[in-house]
mmCIF file of all heavy atoms in Angstrom:
data_model
loop_
_atom_site.group_PDB
_atom_site.id
_atom_site.type_symbol
_atom_site.label_atom_id
_atom_site.label_comp_id
_atom_site.label_asym_id
_atom_site.label_seq_id
_atom_site.Cartn_x
_atom_site.Cartn_y
_atom_site.Cartn_z
ATOM 1 N N LEU H 180 72.404 -58.286 88.501
ATOM 2 C CA LEU H 180 72.521 -57.245 87.476
ATOM 3 C C LEU H 180 73.979 -56.847 87.257
ATOM 4 O O LEU H 180 74.397 -56.610 86.114
ATOM 5 C CB LEU H 180 71.696 -56.020 87.864
ATOM 6 C CG LEU H 180 70.179 -56.151 87.774
ATOM 7 C CD1 LEU H 180 69.504 -54.832 88.159
ATOM 8 C CD2 LEU H 180 69.736 -56.582 86.383
ATOM 9 N N GLU H 181 74.737 -56.775 88.330
ATOM 10 C CA GLU H 181 76.173 -56.458 88.181
ATOM 11 C C GLU H 181 76.867 -57.515 87.334
ATOM 12 O O GLU H 181 77.665 -57.184 86.436
ATOM 13 C CB GLU H 181 76.821 -56.385 89.562
ATOM 14 C CG GLU H 181 76.420 -55.162 90.372
ATOM 15 C CD GLU H 181 76.864 -55.252 91.823
ATOM 16 O OE1 GLU H 181 77.553 -56.245 92.175
ATOM 17 O OE2 GLU H 181 76.508 -54.358 92.607
ATOM 18 N N ASP H 182 76.569 -58.779 87.594
ATOM 19 C CA ASP H 182 77.203 -59.874 86.850
ATOM 20 C C ASP H 182 76.788 -59.865 85.383
ATOM 21 O O ASP H 182 77.620 -60.058 84.479
ATOM 22 C CB ASP H 182 76.832 -61.221 87.479
ATOM 23 C CG ASP H 182 77.505 -61.441 88.821
ATOM 24 O OD1 ASP H 182 78.409 -60.657 89.176
ATOM 25 O OD2 ASP H 182 77.108 -62.390 89.520
ATOM 26 N N ILE H 183 75.507 -59.643 85.131
ATOM 27 C CA ILE H 183 75.012 -59.641 83.751
ATOM 28 C C ILE H 183 75.635 -58.491 82.968
ATOM 29 O O ILE H 183 76.098 -58.667 81.834
ATOM 30 C CB ILE H 183 73.474 -59.545 83.736
ATOM 31 C CG1 ILE H 183 72.860 -60.868 84.220
ATOM 32 C CG2 ILE H 183 72.962 -59.205 82.328
ATOM 33 C CD1 ILE H 183 71.369 -60.798 84.476
ATOM 34 N N ALA H 184 75.644 -57.303 83.566
ATOM 35 C CA ALA H 184 76.229 -56.149 82.880
ATOM 36 C C ALA H 184 77.713 -56.391 82.600
ATOM 37 O O ALA H 184 78.199 -56.101 81.494
ATOM 38 C CB ALA H 184 76.035 -54.889 83.720
ATOM 39 N N HIS H 185 78.426 -56.920 83.576
ATOM 40 C CA HIS H 185 79.860 -57.196 83.399
ATOM 41 C C HIS H 185 80.087 -58.199 82.277
ATOM 42 O O HIS H 185 81.032 -58.046 81.469
ATOM 43 C CB HIS H 185 80.454 -57.717 84.707
ATOM 44 C CG HIS H 185 81.916 -58.034 84.617
ATOM 45 N ND1 HIS H 185 82.888 -57.053 84.556
ATOM 46 C CD2 HIS H 185 82.587 -59.221 84.551
ATOM 47 C CE1 HIS H 185 84.080 -57.615 84.463
ATOM 48 N NE2 HIS H 185 83.923 -58.938 84.461
ATOM 49 N N LYS H 186 79.247 -59.217 82.204
ATOM 50 C CA LYS H 186 79.392 -60.241 81.166
ATOM 51 C C LYS H 186 79.350 -59.633 79.779
ATOM 52 O O LYS H 186 80.040 -60.081 78.854
ATOM 53 C CB LYS H 186 78.290 -61.290 81.326
ATOM 54 C CG LYS H 186 78.358 -62.415 80.303
ATOM 55 C CD LYS H 186 77.251 -63.436 80.546
ATOM 56 C CE LYS H 186 77.315 -64.551 79.505
ATOM 57 N NZ LYS H 186 76.248 -65.564 79.717
ATOM 58 N N TYR H 187 78.539 -58.589 79.625
ATOM 59 C CA TYR H 187 78.397 -57.952 78.312
ATOM 60 C C TYR H 187 79.127 -56.608 78.256
ATOM 61 O O TYR H 187 78.698 -55.685 77.572
ATOM 62 C CB TYR H 187 76.908 -57.812 77.972
ATOM 63 C CG TYR H 187 76.253 -59.170 77.849
ATOM 64 C CD1 TYR H 187 75.374 -59.636 78.825
ATOM 65 C CD2 TYR H 187 76.570 -60.016 76.787
ATOM 66 C CE1 TYR H 187 74.808 -60.901 78.731
ATOM 67 C CE2 TYR H 187 76.004 -61.284 76.689
ATOM 68 C CZ TYR H 187 75.136 -61.714 77.668
ATOM 69 O OH TYR H 187 74.589 -62.979 77.572
ATOM 70 N N LYS H 188 80.224 -56.545 79.026
ATOM 71 C CA LYS H 188 81.153 -55.398 78.979
ATOM 72 C C LYS H 188 80.449 -54.073 79.281
ATOM 73 O O LYS H 188 80.704 -53.043 78.652
ATOM 74 C CB LYS H 188 81.869 -55.350 77.629
ATOM 75 C CG LYS H 188 82.746 -56.586 77.384
ATOM 76 C CD LYS H 188 83.428 -56.517 76.032
ATOM 77 C CE LYS H 188 84.431 -57.658 75.866
ATOM 78 N NZ LYS H 188 83.848 -58.994 76.055
ATOM 79 N N SER H 189 79.562 -54.111 80.253
ATOM 80 C CA SER H 189 78.895 -52.911 80.752
ATOM 81 C C SER H 189 78.994 -52.900 82.266
ATOM 82 O O SER H 189 79.661 -53.755 82.857
ATOM 83 C CB SER H 189 77.426 -52.896 80.307
ATOM 84 O OG SER H 189 77.325 -52.811 78.905
ATOM 85 N N ARG H 190 78.339 -51.947 82.886
ATOM 86 C CA ARG H 190 78.357 -51.894 84.343
ATOM 87 C C ARG H 190 76.964 -51.599 84.884
ATOM 88 O O ARG H 190 76.181 -50.869 84.264
ATOM 89 C CB ARG H 190 79.331 -50.822 84.838
ATOM 90 C CG ARG H 190 80.779 -51.195 84.661
ATOM 91 C CD ARG H 190 81.696 -50.254 85.420
ATOM 92 N NE ARG H 190 81.765 -48.932 84.797
ATOM 93 C CZ ARG H 190 82.538 -47.946 85.240
ATOM 94 N NH1 ARG H 190 83.301 -48.133 86.310
ATOM 95 N NH2 ARG H 190 82.562 -46.785 84.618
ATOM 96 N N TYR H 191 76.671 -52.179 86.034
ATOM 97 C CA TYR H 191 75.518 -51.761 86.827
ATOM 98 C C TYR H 191 76.040 -51.383 88.203
ATOM 99 O O TYR H 191 76.642 -52.205 88.894
ATOM 100 C CB TYR H 191 74.448 -52.844 86.969
ATOM 101 C CG TYR H 191 73.393 -52.384 87.964
ATOM 102 C CD1 TYR H 191 72.465 -51.424 87.584
ATOM 103 C CD2 TYR H 191 73.402 -52.819 89.293
ATOM 104 C CE1 TYR H 191 71.550 -50.918 88.495
ATOM 105 C CE2 TYR H 191 72.494 -52.321 90.215
ATOM 106 C CZ TYR H 191 71.567 -51.370 89.806
ATOM 107 O OH TYR H 191 70.672 -50.852 90.723
ATOM 108 N N ARG H 192 75.821 -50.119 88.580
ATOM 109 C CA ARG H 192 76.213 -49.639 89.895
ATOM 110 C C ARG H 192 75.001 -49.008 90.566
ATOM 111 O O ARG H 192 74.261 -48.239 89.927
ATOM 112 C CB ARG H 192 77.344 -48.608 89.766
ATOM 113 C CG ARG H 192 78.665 -49.194 89.289
ATOM 114 C CD ARG H 192 79.585 -48.154 88.699
ATOM 115 N NE ARG H 192 79.068 -47.658 87.419
ATOM 116 C CZ ARG H 192 79.694 -46.763 86.659
ATOM 117 N NH1 ARG H 192 80.849 -46.254 87.042
ATOM 118 N NH2 ARG H 192 79.162 -46.374 85.503
ATOM 119 N N LYS H 193 74.795 -49.317 91.835
ATOM 120 C CA LYS H 193 73.601 -48.847 92.540
ATOM 121 C C LYS H 193 73.524 -47.329 92.582
ATOM 122 O O LYS H 193 72.428 -46.770 92.636
ATOM 123 C CB LYS H 193 73.573 -49.409 93.967
ATOM 124 C CG LYS H 193 73.341 -50.920 94.032
ATOM 125 C CD LYS H 193 73.318 -51.439 95.444
ATOM 126 C CE LYS H 193 72.021 -51.138 96.153
ATOM 127 N NZ LYS H 193 70.894 -51.957 95.684
ATOM 128 N N THR H 194 74.682 -46.654 92.557
ATOM 129 C CA THR H 194 74.681 -45.203 92.690
ATOM 130 C C THR H 194 74.705 -44.460 91.357
ATOM 131 O O THR H 194 74.567 -43.231 91.341
ATOM 132 C CB THR H 194 75.890 -44.748 93.522
ATOM 133 O OG1 THR H 194 77.095 -45.218 92.888
ATOM 134 C CG2 THR H 194 75.824 -45.314 94.926
ATOM 135 N N ILE H 195 74.874 -45.161 90.252
ATOM 136 C CA ILE H 195 74.930 -44.498 88.950
ATOM 137 C C ILE H 195 73.838 -45.040 88.021
ATOM 138 O O ILE H 195 72.853 -44.368 87.738
ATOM 139 C CB ILE H 195 76.325 -44.629 88.309
ATOM 140 C CG1 ILE H 195 77.374 -43.946 89.207
ATOM 141 C CG2 ILE H 195 76.343 -44.009 86.908
ATOM 142 C CD1 ILE H 195 78.788 -44.017 88.694
ATOM 143 N N GLU H 196 74.014 -46.286 87.556
ATOM 144 C CA GLU H 196 72.981 -46.847 86.673
ATOM 145 C C GLU H 196 71.674 -47.062 87.416
ATOM 146 O O GLU H 196 70.595 -46.985 86.806
ATOM 147 C CB GLU H 196 73.463 -48.172 86.067
ATOM 148 C CG GLU H 196 74.510 -48.030 84.979
ATOM 149 C CD GLU H 196 75.904 -47.763 85.511
ATOM 150 O OE1 GLU H 196 76.149 -48.015 86.723
ATOM 151 O OE2 GLU H 196 76.763 -47.310 84.720
ATOM 152 N N GLY H 197 71.742 -47.313 88.744
ATOM 153 C CA GLY H 197 70.516 -47.505 89.515
ATOM 154 C C GLY H 197 69.563 -46.320 89.406
ATOM 155 O O GLY H 197 68.423 -46.465 88.945
ATOM 156 N N PRO H 198 69.986 -45.103 89.806
ATOM 157 C CA PRO H 198 69.115 -43.942 89.657
ATOM 158 C C PRO H 198 68.742 -43.647 88.198
ATOM 159 O O PRO H 198 67.636 -43.172 87.917
ATOM 160 C CB PRO H 198 69.952 -42.799 90.247
ATOM 161 C CG PRO H 198 70.871 -43.477 91.211
ATOM 162 C CD PRO H 198 71.203 -44.789 90.572
ATOM 163 N N GLN H 199 69.657 -43.924 87.262
ATOM 164 C CA GLN H 199 69.340 -43.701 85.843
ATOM 165 C C GLN H 199 68.177 -44.590 85.397
ATOM 166 O O GLN H 199 67.280 -44.141 84.678
ATOM 167 C CB GLN H 199 70.571 -43.988 84.986
ATOM 168 C CG GLN H 199 71.667 -42.953 85.100
ATOM 169 C CD GLN H 199 72.894 -43.301 84.263
ATOM 170 O OE1 GLN H 199 73.191 -44.478 84.038
ATOM 171 N NE2 GLN H 199 73.595 -42.299 83.801
#
Side-chain angles (χ1 to χ4, degrees):
L180 288 181
E181 288 169 4
D182 289 349
I183 289 170
H185 180 73
K186 181 179 179 180
Y187 297 108
K188 297 179 173 56
S189 296
R190 287 192 288 183
Y191 172 75
R192 292 159 291 182
K193 291 180 77 73
T194 58
I195 298 179
E196 286 78 18
Q199 288 178 330

